[in-house]
Amino acid sequence: TKQDPTDVLVVGCWDQTLSFYKVSGQEYGREHRLEFDPCCIDFFSNGDYFVLGGSNKKAQLWSREGVYLGDLGEREDWIWSVGVRPRQNNVVVGCNDGTVMMYQVVFSTVHGLYQDRYAYRDVMTDVIIQHLVTEQKVRIRCKDYVKKIAVYKDRLAVQLPDKVLIYEVSEKDPLDMHYKNIEKIKQKFVCSLLVVTNHHIILCQERKLQLYSFQGVLEREWNLDALIRYIKVVGGAPKREGLLVGLKNGHVMKIFIDNSFPVTLIKQATAVRCLDLSCRRKKLAVVDETSNLLVYDLDTKALLYQEPNANSVAWNTEMEDMLAYSGSNMLCIKTGNFPPHMQKLQGFVVGFKGSKIFCLHYISMQTIDVPQSASLYRYIEKKDFEVAYKVACLGVTEADWRLLALDALQSLRFDIARKAFIRIRDVRYIDLLNRITQQYGNRTSLTPEEEHLVTAQVLAFQGKYLDAAQHFGKAKQFNAAVEMYTELRKWDEAKHWAQQGEKAGIKAGAGTGPNAVADLPGSPAGVGGGGVLGGLGGDPKGGEPSIAQGLILKQAASSEEDGDLKAAGEMYTTAGQFKKALEIFIRINALDSLIEVVRLLPASDTQSLNMAIQAFRQHQHYPFAKETILKVGDVGMLINLHMESHRWDEAFQLSQQHPEFAPQIYLPWAEWLAFNDRFDDALEAYKKAKRPDLSLKLVEKLTHNAVVEKRFKDAAAYFWRLAVEMMSTVSVEGLPPDEASSRVQRALDNFEELKRRADVYYAYSYIHAYIQEPFTTLLPENVFNCALFLWNILASSGLSAKVNTTTLLNDDLIPPELLREEQRRRAAAAAANSGLTSGNAKGHLLKEVPLGISRVYILYALAKQAQNLGAFKLARMAYDKLQVLRVPNTWQQQIDLSCLSIRAKPYSDQDELLPVCNWCMTTNPLLRSNLDSCVNCGHPFLRTFLGFDILPLVEFQPEQGISVEEAKKFIEAEPGTRRKGGGSDGWRESTRGGAEVMSLDQGPGQMGGDEGNDLFVQKMLDAASFLVPGEPYSPVQIDREILIDLRPEEVYIVDMRKLSSFLPVRFFRSMIPEVAIAVCGACGHFFHQETWELEVLQNKCCPYCGSKDIDPLAPASEGKSLVSL
């Protein structure tokens, strides 16, 4: 079944038992003992019932739970077969005597109703109670055949074949549906009708009524004159309830259960079919056998009215004069003496509560919501607002409530209007009522002007503004009309009524009598009735200009409230409220409108102009900002504007006219240049701004980025630039001699270290390119020399472990507000100095190298080229070092094979690969940990930075007492006899009689004698013989005679004084003049002349420092070339 999905097997045995089982074999319910032998069983289609036949010759009806419901019929012989027609209630019976009989089973409706609780029988054994308002249902399983049901308040009576069950529900909760069995009357009653009261049940059988207590005691009995057709409990005190009884002879009786004498209410000629009593018990509605509805007044016994085509009737339990009746598939609602309101409905009306009608259609109870609008409109038409309000309380729409409230308000029924507006929570109208009642009090009559005023306010609230304005005019309240149209943003109408007010002679902002309203109904708080005409500060004479200006300002304020800010700003501008317009245009970013307002402002209004300037600058509108600033006349602000908009040419042009503003331009300009990758220009700008600290920071950052991005040539150039920038910031002014000397020495040490690191990154750029790029133009000797130079430098303890260029800055150069921050940064840098500017003097072999440099790359290139060139000892060392380093997986096999193959080579290096010192002529090993210098004299090996070959250069210095300028003059001087040619070609140059003479030597012996006369070589060898190992390196000191003997074309002077006055001047002599050497005019590095010229032609700059100022100085005089920086 729908209620129970369990499949049930019914088994009838000839042991005269009836058993029930589930499909699983488990027993389902108890076993029933029969007094006959069952022969056949068949279920109805819905599964709720089955028919049983057998030797008792009867066809019995049972429920699926095993409840015997009754006999369908009895035959003259055994019943061997029964069959139920599918989806029908027809049963066919086949008997032993050969007869076949068909029965039609009719299941009658058994139900009961009291107000909003309805109970009915289901599956013959259950009772379902339904709450008609909440639609909540509850089922009571009686497990027996239910014969009658009665409901009253919190009581429920159920009659079974042999007993009556009484149930009770909580009376406190009207929605409670938990019924509990409280009494059980174990008697078998025979009756046609059953009703229940608080403590009794009443049985009706034809003309007799019997009253039984819940204990089964018969307390009273009534015998009436005719058959009882209808009975209903109409309430009353407990144990004194009243009954309404309709008889077949047309009499309607009222019986109190504690009184033995019935009271006759109405006598009519036709039999009673249905009846009901109104909620106040003053009216009785009767439906007779002829389908007529008759309504009686119980006080006068008079027939009030009658209606045809009715089969049931119910009074509204909440309103005395309203009833509903049904008939001919129509539902009719009648209120008072008005014609009934009709609508289609199938079924019978059994209850009417508020706006809900309960209708029974077959066994289905429906709850229908019926609007009371029709009845409400009729009472409103009659101006019967009291009854109309009661009807509305039964249930009407919000629109109906509003209609009632407005009609009551216009009819001056303020009490009804207030209650109706409260119902719909219309605060605006409630506020209007409060003001009206406060103004007029409890007066029942008003003057015509007061009535017009009230009507106008109501019409305004209803949206009928034209009519409201007319009534305001009749009430002489022109200000209220103007205010109303002002709030509606109807400015033409507002102006019209303002003019009407002036024509009528009404002063702005004043009413015409004691009853003038203070505020327009529905207007925002704080807007008075005379605000437009009197509160805007117009023409005191009350002429047209003041009205127009006031309305414009009001219109502007309303546009601002509505969000149309641009229109509001334009109106404020028209009205002369420039500051307000300015604020609005700034808020909505209307720059075109804003500049128009600026042009109208006087130059003295600097506050407003500054607001406009700030807005223009915020939105980066340069032309408008410039125009406004020019109007203000602030030169500094104009320069700031040029800088913000990056119009530097205009800023510098303006600073030429006003030099006092020039210093503030350079620092932002430098930052802008740095942001746009114009770093060289940015460095110059920082210098002009007198911020060398920022210049150094920029160079440091560029250097770090170049290393991280593996642009090692750029990193070398930046390191060189960093060294130059660092030296340019050194200042010793105002320092004691000791401190000044210490500062200069520290600067020189850091300069040399930064220059050395630049050399390292420059050399490593070739190694990195050799490893990473698939093709290279470098010769094996170049790669070998480059890698050897790098390893000797990195393996040297002289490579500084700490370079902090910031400590070399003069604190006087840093602005005071940045000095403290700079000191903190220095401390932090000193505490955690790593990366580019940190290292370990003893850890370059296996621990640390400068950032970005790979030991593996250097050792791999060195080992590979050393093996190719015959430096087997060096190659073995390099391969041994690679064994302890992490190398790429693709290299590992090759390195392992090379390690094995190098073992077969002699443990020595080729003699021609070993460098020879140009000073002391000592042959040096390939590996040296002294910054690539001679192991004997300490003279540094000067290499070309395009190939890294060792150049035949020896450094010397003039003796003390000889200045640099004097030394240059001695070198450039022309002695009486000087060798101008090469040392081995035999030619001599001399001056005889004022003429230059060239002669050829006579033989090799004389040539050798000339070499032995080289004073510089003799001085160099003499100085080398006095060298003490371990002493610091010092260049050869030569006197004036030797300086005069030197040839200018063999001397190179590296003069760094133009970079910093603290940098020394260095002198070098080429020991092999045939080797053409070039020197960069910017950084002082040496190159082979041929490779230098090729590089310069290709790149137009120095390969080391990137400087384009690379041309050496012109020859000093007459074919003598002195190369210097």
Side-chain angles (χ1 to χ4, degrees), residues 114 117 151-156 167-171 179 182 197-198:
Y114 184 82
R117 293 180 185 260
V151 181
Y152 175 73
K153 292 185 179 179
D154 58 339
R155 295 289 191 266
L156 170 67
Y167 293 89
E168 181 185 34
V169 71
S170 175
E171 189 177 4
Y179 282 84
I182 58 172
T197 62
N198 281 301

Side-chain angles (χ1 to χ4, degrees), residues 398-409:
E398 183 176 343
D400 294 336
W401 275 110
R402 189 176 300 278
L403 176 65
L404 172 61
L406 293 175
D407 284 353
L409 181 58

Side-chain angles (χ1 to χ4, degrees), residues 22 56 120 205 286 348 392 401 438 448 469 485 517 629 696 753 835 841 862 950 955 1124:
K22 296 182 180 179
N56 63 343
Y120 61 93
Q205 183 63 25
V286 180
F348 300 89
W401 275 110
Q438 183 180 4
Y485 281 119
V517 294
I629 293 175
L696 279 178
E753 179 60 26
L862 182 62
I950 297 177
E955 184 180 5
S1124 65

Side-chain angles (χ1 to χ4, degrees), residues 1032-1077:
Y1033 161 73
S1034 177
V1036 179
Q1037 303 286 330
I1038 60 176
D1039 54 14
R1040 292 177 176 83
E1041 181 181 0
I1042 300 176
L1043 288 173
I1044 295 174
D1045 190 58
L1046 292 176
R1047 295 191 178 101
E1049 65 271 15
E1050 297 175 359
V1051 177
Y1052 298 90
I1053 302 176
V1054 180
D1055 190 353
M1056 294 287 188
R1057 290 180 298 179
K1058 74 174 183 178
L1059 301 180
S1060 174
S1061 60
F1062 301 109
L1063 291 176
V1065 180
R1066 302 180 66 184
F1067 295 82
F1068 300 91
R1069 179 189 175 184
S1070 174
M1071 305 306 298
I1072 305 177
E1074 291 80 3
V1075 178
I1077 300 174

Side-chain angles (χ1 to χ4, degrees), residues 767 770-771 780 783-788 791 855-883 891 894-896 898-899 901-902 905 909 913 926-927:
I767 299 298
Y770 170 74
I771 297 296
V783 177
F784 174 77
N785 291 329
C786 183
L788 185 61
W791 192 258
R855 295 187 296 268
V856 175
Y857 282 14
I858 298 173
L859 289 173
Y860 181 77
L862 182 62
K864 188 174 181 180
Q865 300 304 327
Q867 187 175 3
N868 294 335
L869 297 176
F872 302 120
K873 180 179 179 181
L874 177 62
R876 182 177 296 185
M877 182 279 302
Y879 282 127
D880 290 342
K881 295 295 182 183
L882 284 173
Q883 293 296 324
W891 295 4
Q894 183 180 359
I895 292 174
D896 293 341
S898 299
C899 286
S901 63
I902 201 66
K905 303 296 181 179
D909 298 325
L913 297 177
L926 292 175
L927 292 179

Side-chain angles (χ1 to χ4, degrees), residues 539-552:
D539 189 356
K541 298 180 180 180
E544 178 65 20
S546 65
I547 299 177
Q549 185 184 25
L551 289 177
I552 289 174

